[in-house]
Amino acid sequence: MAKVKSLYRCADCANEVAKWVGRCPACEAWGTLEEATASAAVAVGGRRAMLPSTAAAPISSIDSKTTQARSTGVSELDRVLGGGIVPGSVVLISGEPGVGKSTLLLEVSHRWARARDEIALYVTAEESAGQVRLRADRTGAVHEKVYLAAESDLATILGHVEQVRPTLLVVDSVQTMVAADVDGVIGGVTQVRSVTSALTSLAKSTGIAVLLVGHVTKDGSVAGPRTLEHLVDVVLQFEGDKHSTLRMVRGIKNRFGSTDEVGCFEMREAGIACVDDPSGLFLHHRGEAVSGTAVTVAMDGKRPMLGEVQGLTVETQVPAPRRAVSGLDYNRVSMVLAVLQSRCGVYVGKQDVYAATVGGMRLTEPAADLAVALAIASASQDRALRTGMIVLGEVGLAGEVRQVTGLTRRLAEAERLGFTEALVPAGVDRVGRTMKLHEVADLSAALAVCGLRGPRRAKAKADIED
């Protein structure tokens, strides 16, 4: 056994070289070589083998209770995380500026400290300590166990951790932190990778749960090197429309749970609040029948949410009538209009057509086709659909109504919210259903169930010729 001199290992491909160079000879990445010193080595199969600092142990001897998820105190965030945050894990939360990332994590720090009587350390480099305190006063997130540090130097942050000994560490944001012993500009590839690697090592060695705030690029992806998402355990996307109070957290990567869950929040003057039942934000007319409206159930991951589609038709004298769409897929709405006219005789060629969703909801899945068709047909004939009815189905170019995914879960959610009727594609399993199901094979049958028969095809053709 012989002493091993210092060598340099590539952070991207793990290639080793005897001396430092600016560019890795193997993967040709710049600035990725880092010094790696081993105390001893042995020769195994003609290759150099490093003696491990910790011996391997039988998997049966490892205590799994130390890595059980712990609730953050925010139910909707726990839903997306898979029950809570695991000690020693690193969670990256990304989102556009102003969407509410800092407000959410300050609330998490407050609830963590209040519920567990444990210290939460909130580190910010984008705001001063006074600014964070003002937000904490506004949202009611002031607690004696929540510690605050306005720092950007990594070594200083590690010193705060050693001094305060928190069980939860929030870093806002990782792109603004700097490692003084690493070359590169703040927010650059080398700096972001080094800071994230150091914080990940801190989490794994101490069991501290780490929450990182990440910036996004113009296309909405996480800013920084692609390896950033590989270094952390969980990647969450915080989304929201600036014209709506609704905020959603989606899982992109999760080593401890599913990525199909979605958490819903509402931004208020007093801070951010969980929305256990977001369907109320997307429904406007529940107790009254209004023409031009149809209720459907959308699936966002595994979570069913009720949404309302609204349609409006207005007579116009211009040669090219207007088609305005909000919250829906414009191409699918155009297709539905064509099917209504060609297959069902509902002619809106000389009318402006407006189609939209309520509450800023986006419905882009084909399951909303039937709701769009019935809402527009209802508006054109000024005849409302029955209250308490939901509409589900994909519409094909031949006018057929096709099955949609997750139909059982969608119907169960509608029943839970008090809906008594459902217009669905043929072939639905009726076992255990208390609501009345209207099975239809095509769009004409759906219009007939709702009392929305279009004009005769001959009359529609005469209108076109005129």
Side-chain angles (χ1 to χ4, degrees):
M1 185 166 58
K3 296 290 183 181
V4 178
K5 297 180 180 180
S6 296
L7 52 88
Y8 295 86
R9 183 179 296 112
C10 177
D12 284 352
C13 66
N15 180 54
E16 297 177 357
V17 294
K19 63 179 181 179
W20 186 90
V21 291
R23 189 177 190 180
C24 175
C27 65
E28 298 184 350
W30 288 94
T32 58
L33 293 179
E34 301 174 352
E35 185 176 4
T37 305
S39 58
V42 293
V44 178
R47 306 260 318 166
R48 183 173 65 250
M50 303 298 178
L51 293 180
S53 57
T54 304
I59 191 172
S60 59
S61 65
I62 299 175
D63 186 9
S64 61
K65 295 182 180 179
T66 59
T67 56
Q68 290 183 348
R70 307 175 68 185
S71 174
T72 61
V74 181
S75 59
E76 289 298 298
L77 183 60
D78 288 343
R79 176 199 291 268
V80 183
L81 291 174
I85 186 170
V86 176
S89 64
V90 182
V91 179
L92 175 65
I93 300 181
S94 63
E96 296 182 354
V99 74
K101 303 183 297 296
S102 301
T103 303
L104 174 62
L105 294 185
L106 185 60
E107 182 67 19
V108 170
S109 302
H110 171 246
R111 297 196 181 191
W112 182 277
R114 185 181 63 183
R116 302 183 176 280
D117 198 29
E118 297 177 356
I119 295 177
L121 176 59
Y122 189 100
V123 179
T124 177
E126 298 186 344
E127 299 176 288
S128 65
Q131 288 176 309
V132 178
R133 173 57 195 266
L134 286 175
R135 187 191 308 120
D137 288 335
R138 177 173 54 86
T139 60
V142 178
H143 195 278
E144 60 181 5
K145 290 288 186 177
V146 177
Y147 283 67
L148 178 63
E151 299 286 353
S152 61
D153 182 70
L154 177 62
T156 306
I157 295 172
L158 298 179
H160 282 298
V161 172
E162 182 67 23
Q163 185 179 32
V164 176
R165 304 261 181 196
T167 57
L168 178 68
L169 172 63
V170 177
V171 178
D172 186 9
S173 65
V174 67
Q175 279 89 0
T176 56
M177 300 297 162
V178 58
D181 57 341
V182 178
D183 294 333
V185 297
I186 298 177
V189 173
T190 306
Q191 283 287 343
V192 172
R193 182 188 296 114
S194 299
V195 171
T196 306
S197 299
L199 293 176
T200 302
S201 300
L202 172 69
K204 305 304 179 185
S205 60
T206 62
I208 298 175
V210 179
L211 298 176
L212 304 178
V213 175
H215 294 167
V216 295
T217 59
K218 292 181 179 179
D219 60 357
S221 59
V222 181
R226 193 64 182 177
T227 53
L228 177 62
E229 298 182 31
H230 297 291
L231 290 173
V232 300
D233 300 302
V234 182
V235 180
L236 303 180
Q237 182 75 26
F238 201 16
E239 303 174 354
D241 188 351
K242 62 181 180 180
H243 301 296
S244 173
T245 60
L246 181 68
R247 301 290 185 269
M248 289 189 177
V249 175
R250 306 177 189 274
I252 299 177
K253 170 189 175 182
N254 192 350
R255 289 175 177 166
F256 311 109
S258 172
T259 57
D260 293 330
E261 292 290 351
V262 178
C264 297
F265 301 87
E266 186 178 9
M267 287 296 295
R268 303 172 180 172
E269 293 184 1
I272 192 167
C274 296
V275 180
D276 298 326
D277 185 9
S279 299
L281 298 175
F282 305 132
L283 296 179
H284 184 59
H285 301 288
R286 280 295 305 273
E288 52 185 295
V290 180
S291 63
T293 64
V295 180
T296 187
V297 185
M299 290 293 292
D300 203 331
K302 290 183 178 179
R303 187 169 192 175
M305 291 184 291
L306 270 72
E308 182 177 328
V309 179
Q310 295 184 341
L312 180 65
T313 59
V314 181
E315 292 289 343
T316 182
Q317 301 299 325
V318 298
R322 185 179 182 185
R323 303 289 185 259
V325 176
S326 176
L328 298 164
D329 187 343
Y330 181 85
N331 293 326
R332 295 205 70 86
V333 172
S334 300
M335 183 199 72
V336 169
L337 289 175
V339 174
L340 278 173
Q341 176 178 323
S342 177
R343 305 295 182 182
C344 306
V346 179
Y347 180 65
V348 291
K350 293 185 177 181
Q351 295 176 323
D352 290 337
V353 178
Y354 301 86
T357 57
V358 174
M361 189 179 194
R362 290 196 58 82
L363 291 175
T364 57
E365 60 176 343
D369 289 350
L370 190 56
V372 173
L374 294 182
I376 294 174
S378 171
S380 65
Q381 300 181 30
D382 195 20
R383 183 177 297 176
L385 275 65
R386 293 189 294 273
T387 58
M389 173 184 282
I390 63 165
V391 181
L392 292 167
E394 177 185 356
V395 176
L397 291 178
E400 77 277 13
V401 178
R402 301 173 181 172
Q403 287 282 354
V404 298
T405 59
L407 186 57
T408 301
R409 190 185 293 265
R410 298 175 199 254
L411 292 176
E413 178 69 8
E415 281 185 310
R416 186 183 71 85
L417 295 176
F419 285 84
T420 57
E421 293 183 79
L423 191 62
V424 295
V428 178
D429 184 8
R430 293 175 176 266
V431 178
R433 294 282 166 237
T434 59
M435 66 190 317
K436 184 178 181 180
L437 299 181
H438 303 278
E439 299 185 42
V440 294
D442 52 40
L443 185 54
S444 297
L447 293 173
V449 170
C450 300
L452 299 174
R453 293 189 179 276
R456 291 179 301 174
R457 184 177 299 273
K459 184 177 184 300
K461 288 183 177 180
D463 291 341
I464 296 175
E465 293 173 357
D466 291 342

